[in-house]
Each structure stands twice: as C-alpha cells, then as structure tokens.
Amino acid sequence: MALALALHQQGIASEIHDIRPRGAAAGDQRILALSHGSRQILTALGVWSEIQATAITDIHVSQRGGAGRTKISAREQGVDALGHVASSSSIATALDKALSAANIPYVGDSRLLDAVPSAASITLNCSDGSLETPLLAYAEGRIGEGAEVVERDYGQHALICRLTPTAPHGGTAWERFTAHGPFALLPHDNDYAAVYTCSPAEAERLAKLPDGELLAHLQAEFGPRVQFVQVQNRFIYPLGLRYRSQPTAQRQVWLGNAAQTLHPVAGQGFNLALRDCMALANVMAGATDPGAPEVMARYAADRKLDRCGTIGITDTLIRVFSNDHPVLRHMRGAGLAALDLLPPLRSFLARRMMFGARAW
C-alpha cells in the first residue's frame, strides 16, 4: 500500500493484488516501531495524521548481569521524537483510506500462480485472471523458495505481549540484553509492547504459564527499573534472518519482507521496507519503461548500502549480545559505556537507526 501511494505521487499508475481480502491487514494487531525517518515517509504519503502512535522520546540500552548502559534522547538529537510505536492495524487502515482517496485499484483474494517475464513486459497469471505489466513488485509476504537466499537460524522465538507498568512510561523505550536474547519494551498507549527473546522451548513454556507466573518471570528477567502489574495478549513468533542476495530480476523487484526478514532487535524491518518503497518510486520517476534493466540496476545499487548495513547491524547485535560469554560481556559493557561517554558516536548510531543510510 505504501509503495502504491509513493508511485502515485510520482505519477506512476499501479494496482495491488493481495492474496487476502481487502481490509485483512486492518485486523493485524502486531505492534511496530517506526523510526523518525519512517514518520517523515508516512507524512509525505499523507497518512501520518491518521495513524494512532505513541512517541519514543528516550531509549535506554543495557545488559542484564553486566556493567555498561547508554541512553539516547530525542532532545540530544534535535528531534521531537526518536520514533513512534503504532499497531500494524492503525497503519494499514490509514494507508487503505489513502488508496481509496487516490482511486488506486486494489484486488483482493488474488493469488499469483506464476509470472512470465519477457524483454518488454511480464505476464501475471493470477487466480482471478491474467494481466500484463512492465514491472511486478513483490512487496509483502515471505521470501519464496528457490531464490538465492541467505538464512540464519538464531535458535530463538519471541514472546510478544502487552505489559502494564505501575508508573507512566514517559515515552521511554527499553532494550535490555540478556544471556538468551534481547528484551524490549516499547511504549504504546499507556502500556508497553514487550518483545522477550528466548529459546523456542522456553517460549512455548512461558506462553502456557498463568498470568501471575509469567509476570513474575518477566519482572525477574527485566529487573527493577520498571515494575509491571499486568500482562495481556501474549503470542510467540519464530526469529531468524532470511534475505535475498539480489532484490531484483528481469521485470521483477522484491522489497520489504519479501526481500529481507530481520530479527526484531532495534526494530528495523518495517522501517527498511518503507525506505525500499520510497527508493523504488524515486528510481522509477521519469523512466519511460519502469521495469527496464537499467532501472532495476539503479534501484539495486541505490539500496545496497542501506540494505546491507541494516542487515549487518541487526545480525551483529544478536550474535554479540545473545550470549553470556564473560569476555563478550565485558566487551559489551565497554561498548555501551563508550556510547554513553562519546556523544558523537551515540549521535551517529541514533541517526543510523532513525534514517538508515541517509544518516551518512
């Protein structure tokens, strides 16, 4: 939906074909962390005012059982918020409303059976008929089998739930690294959207605990900095890294989760997807043939730094922080202390998280 709106602003006609019925995304209750840069993108697409979002004014990063911590603040970075937290449902509803206002066709219950590219176009055979187009963009869903795919299984699941604190969160997000993975708290409305990372077996066990026992476990894992009084809406989600080595092919382009699925540490997946959308629309602007090989090559080159950098950062964070090796624990503590003592380094990291490669 974001890609279709970005193309529309460039005067490029498109239509959406979705395997689900139209409006299905409005029922998605997942919580997403939106960077400051993503807020700028959604504002440019004309939908930000319709999204119900909670501002992140500070991010507190620490490790359990080790020294070192750092705090990143919006005030220090000269912005009103480092990012925002919103439900996928709210974002999808706002985007769909804008699609209707722009009269962009949206075909629901449409399954892509196969795609046949040629030198001049690509023919799509769908469950509801066939059509011919200069370019097919896979902008949603899982990376298909058979592609040149790089995978890494972190041996982790995320237990996702809603935690109610005893005191107002004040817009502070928390990223606390434990021996078995990150524990993130994102301010959402008056509660926290919590992402607790652990082994698949442990996630299954925790998901079945009574509320009181789960609350006690999460409190012990997080520590005393924030006190919780209620846990709600729990579910578990497998984690891993999976990405296409090349996001383009003849008359085809992959972006968002169809191009790369990342670990949720630092909340970069959806933000990277929105940057993909804007970059593709900008590259296609003014092109006589939007699916031409030179256009696809420009897009792939344009996205290489941001895409590889974001994949690398999230992958490194998990491999370095998701263990209890004493040497690495001390190194992590030293790194967090360095961030706390060196504002330019802290600012660079903050801007990288807010804007992607644009920070450079």
Side-chain angles (χ1 to χ4, degrees), residues 31 52-55 85-86 161-172 174 185-194 226-233:
I31 304 300
Q52 298 175 353
T54 304
V85 182
C161 61
R162 194 176 186 95
L163 291 171
T164 302
T166 56
H169 53 62
T172 297
W174 300 79
L185 297 179
L186 302 174
H188 186 230
D189 296 333
N190 295 320
D191 296 331
Y192 281 111
V226 179
Q227 297 292 323
F228 312 121
V229 294
Q230 187 178 30
V231 60
Q232 304 174 72
N233 306 341

Side-chain angles (χ1 to χ4, degrees), residues 74-121:
R75 176 178 295 181
E76 183 181 59
Q77 303 308 318
V79 294
D80 62 344
L82 296 167
H84 287 77
V85 182
S87 69
S88 181
S89 171
S90 178
I91 298 168
T93 299
L95 289 168
D96 203 356
K97 182 178 178 180
L99 288 174
S100 296
N103 294 315
I104 297 173
Y106 193 127
V107 183
D109 297 306
S110 178
R111 177 187 292 272
L112 178 65
L113 303 177
D114 68 352
V116 184
S118 66
S121 65

Side-chain angles (χ1 to χ4, degrees), residues 230-282:
Q230 187 178 30
V231 60
Q232 304 174 72
N233 306 341
R234 68 180 86 169
F235 64 95
I236 57 176
Y237 191 83
L239 304 176
L241 171 66
R242 184 178 171 87
Y243 65 93
R244 295 181 63 95
S245 57
Q246 178 55 252
T248 61
Q250 185 182 22
R251 300 270 165 197
Q252 298 168 90
V253 60
W254 289 261
L255 61 162
N257 268 352
Q260 62 268 326
T261 301
L262 311 181
H263 193 286
V265 65
Q268 289 300 298
F270 186 67
N271 298 301
L272 180 60
L274 287 178
R275 298 197 296 268
D276 286 346
C277 293
M278 298 304 285
L280 181 58
N282 290 335

Side-chain angles (χ1 to χ4, degrees), residues 320-335:
V320 171
F321 279 87
S322 293
N323 61 75
D324 201 30
H325 192 285
V327 174
L328 285 177
R329 185 168 66 247
H330 291 305
M331 291 177 63
R332 292 192 299 259

